[in-house]
Amino acid sequence: MWHNQRRYFHTGQIAICLLYLYDDKWLLTTIKRITKEIDVVDDVGFEAEEIEEYRKYYGRLVLKYHNTKRGMGRTYESMMEELEVIEILSTAYDGDEFPGYENIRLSFSQLETIIRNKRSGWLDALRNQKAVYLITDTSNGKMYVGSATAQYGMLLQRWTNYIDNGHGGNIELKHLVDTKGFDYVKENFQYSVLENYNARMDDNYILGREKWWKDTLCTRQFGYNKN
């Protein structure tokens, strides 16, 4: 669990983790008991054990809650009257139907669920597409622009690489994972598509568009692009 200047948890407390879906809907992902506090800032600051008795609800319990504050940490007492259980899914949530390339905006957890659970609609859409994509670090606004071409196995393979190790072989992202850990990526990275192309599009054109987006978004100066 990530820790910044404000410490949300202390040893012995229970952490209920929710993933935002859409339209004020949240998915229960896990419930953990904090077992140890680690004296760090901007890093994984706690050790925790999953509470097994609630496992059957992980990925299945959907709640409704309207979040009006910027910070993501809450005490249960401050929001319990606003939480509404609206559904218990028959199977673990594995993502929405593919919404179109222009509407892709996925957290690491959402992308991992799509890939690991082999969501056919999503995988079919990503498998044969070349693209220029954007990775955003939601904790600080830094961005990384990348491309998926035939050389790197198209968009599905490229994003699968990120799910496997967090950096996909990119120099600056690898340095980030080495210094802050894979959990930092899992908790803060968001994935979207800037432009997409069919498999026949020339790779050199896509690389040119990648460069254009790097220049436009200034990701070499202020983001995670090295070149």
Side-chain angles (χ1 to χ4, degrees):
M1 294 183 179
W2 196 254
H3 167 55
N4 52 26
Q5 292 287 351
R6 180 178 179 182
R7 188 170 288 275
Y8 287 106
F9 303 107
H10 298 284
T11 301
Q13 288 185 316
I14 302 297
I16 301 173
C17 302
L18 304 176
L19 172 68
Y20 181 72
L21 299 177
Y22 54 87
D23 296 338
D24 291 338
K25 293 181 181 179
W26 299 76
L27 181 72
L28 175 67
T29 59
T30 188
I31 301 177
K32 294 185 176 183
R33 178 176 286 103
I34 306 302
T35 58
K36 182 180 180 181
E37 298 177 54
I38 303 173
D39 188 20
V40 295
V41 175
D42 291 333
D43 206 334
V44 179
F46 307 94
E47 292 182 3
E49 294 179 348
E50 199 166 66
I51 300 179
E52 290 295 324
E53 64 184 285
Y54 300 113
R55 176 177 287 276
K56 61 183 177 181
Y57 298 113
Y58 300 160
R60 296 178 54 221
L61 182 66
V62 180
L63 302 104
K64 188 170 185 177
Y65 172 68
H66 181 60
N67 182 30
T68 59
K69 299 181 180 179
R70 294 182 62 184
M72 296 305 292
R74 300 282 189 281
T75 62
Y76 176 70
E77 290 77 9
S78 70
M79 60 187 293
M80 62 182 183
E81 297 298 331
E82 302 174 60
L83 289 171
E84 177 186 356
V85 175
I86 58 175
E87 188 175 7
I88 298 178
L89 303 174
S90 58
T91 59
Y93 178 81
D94 57 4
D96 298 324
E97 295 302 316
F98 183 71
Y101 300 100
E102 70 278 11
N103 293 316
I104 294 176
R105 187 176 64 234
L106 299 168
S107 67
F108 183 97
S109 177
Q110 289 171 318
L111 180 58
E112 182 180 37
T113 296
I114 288 167
I115 291 175
R116 300 298 187 218
N117 291 355
K118 302 184 185 303
R119 287 279 296 176
S120 59
W122 278 86
L123 299 193
D124 290 343
L126 300 178
R127 182 176 289 112
N128 297 312
Q129 284 290 301
K130 299 179 180 181
V132 178
Y133 58 84
L134 182 70
I135 300 176
T136 304
D137 185 336
T138 60
S139 74
N140 57 26
K142 288 187 176 182
M143 294 179 287
Y144 174 88
V145 173
S147 62
T149 60
Q151 180 181 357
Y152 294 105
M154 315 295 268
L155 186 55
L156 176 60
Q157 183 57 55
R158 198 75 195 94
W159 279 5
T160 299
N161 293 339
Y162 291 118
I163 295 304
D164 288 340
N165 57 31
H167 56 73
N170 305 124
I171 296 173
E172 286 297 311
L173 297 184
K174 187 176 187 303
H175 176 71
L176 185 71
V177 172
D178 289 343
T179 55
K180 293 194 173 183
F182 198 178
D183 280 348
Y184 179 89
V185 170
K186 292 179 180 180
E187 295 187 19
N188 294 299
F189 273 26
Q190 175 181 278
Y191 304 82
S192 55
V193 173
L194 297 172
E195 300 180 6
N196 68 286
Y197 309 92
N198 63 42
R200 295 188 298 274
M201 179 59 70
D202 182 75
D203 283 356
N204 289 325
Y205 176 80
I206 296 172
L207 295 175
R209 295 301 298 163
E210 177 189 20
K211 180 181 182 301
W212 187 89
W213 279 107
K214 288 178 182 178
D215 293 341
T216 300
L217 298 175
C218 301
T219 56
R220 296 186 186 90
Q221 298 93 323
F222 306 111
Y224 290 129
N225 283 107
K226 183 71 173 178
N227 52 37

